[in-house]
Amino acid sequence: MGPFGAAMKAKLCANMLVAANLAATAEMLSFAAKMGLDQLTLIEALKASAGTSLQFQARAERMARGDWDRVLGSTAMLAKDVHLIEQMGAEIDCPMPVLSSAARLYDRAMETGYDKTDVASVYAAFAEAAGLPVPNKTQG
């Protein structure tokens, strides 16, 4: 990737996209539910759409089903990187409104007991904020 430290910076960039993708997926699922759409049917339709992503394909259905006890990557782990990214952005004077907005919801998910669950559990924070039931709620 370049000089010493470049690989770590690239990892932060990758995790910035992961965090934003997951937050966008969780937000979209809340929006869909509030409009009365069936989340699982919508997920199937969107898997091959222009709006898909690897994170969407890996975790949208897990979000909708509340399947976050099988941890591929914890909310706490991603939140730690989100805060490192915010710190780096502040140090280099780079605005990050999308990430900063998402960071508050990762924090909320952790505060409500989802820190050790899979990052798909960030959906719980969006669902609760929207007044929706949290699927398979076992924490918090």
Side-chain angles (χ1 to χ4, degrees), residues 3 6 19 27 42 45-46 57 64 72 87 94 97 105 109-110 114 122 138:
E27 184 173 30
L42 181 62
L46 295 178
Q57 292 179 18
L72 303 176
Q87 181 181 346
C94 183
L105 287 147
M110 291 194 353
Y114 296 98
V122 73
T138 59

Side-chain angles (χ1 to χ4, degrees), residues 21 35 45 57 59 65-67 72 77 79 88 100 109 117 122 127 131:
N21 253 287
M35 292 190 299
Q57 292 179 18
R59 290 199 167 89
R65 293 185 187 281
D67 174 19
L72 303 176
M77 184 177 66
M88 176 66 76
S100 293
T117 59
V122 73

Side-chain angles (χ1 to χ4, degrees), residues 58-121:
R59 290 199 167 89
E61 189 172 331
R62 292 184 70 191
M63 288 178 180
R65 293 185 187 281
D67 174 19
W68 38 66
D69 291 331
R70 182 175 44 93
V71 180
L72 303 176
S74 74
T75 303
M77 184 177 66
L78 186 57
K80 174 188 65 75
D81 280 356
V82 165
H83 291 294
L84 286 172
I85 295 162
E86 283 187 305
Q87 181 181 346
M88 176 66 76
E91 288 172 12
I92 62 173
D93 194 29
C94 183
M96 297 182 174
V98 172
L99 184 77
S100 293
S101 177
R104 305 301 70 87
L105 287 147
Y106 284 100
D107 290 344
R108 183 173 177 177
M110 291 194 353
E111 290 164 4
T112 54
Y114 296 98
D115 53 321
K116 293 182 174 117
T117 59
D118 189 79
V119 294
S121 65

Side-chain angles (χ1 to χ4, degrees), residues 7-80:
M8 176 58 88
K9 291 174 183 175
K11 178 186 179 268
L12 292 177
C13 290
N15 283 349
M16 183 178 188
L17 287 172
V18 168
N21 253 287
L22 289 169
T25 298
E27 184 173 30
M28 179 279 299
L29 288 173
S30 295
F31 181 59
K34 290 292 276 193
M35 292 190 299
L37 295 174
D38 179 79
Q39 291 174 325
L40 296 175
T41 301
L42 181 62
I43 290 165
E44 282 306 310
L46 295 178
K47 280 183 180 177
S49 75
T52 196
S53 69
L54 181 61
Q55 289 303 319
F56 176 87
Q57 292 179 18
R59 290 199 167 89
E61 189 172 331
R62 292 184 70 191
M63 288 178 180
R65 293 185 187 281
D67 174 19
W68 38 66
D69 291 331
R70 182 175 44 93
V71 180
L72 303 176
S74 74
T75 303
M77 184 177 66
L78 186 57
K80 174 188 65 75

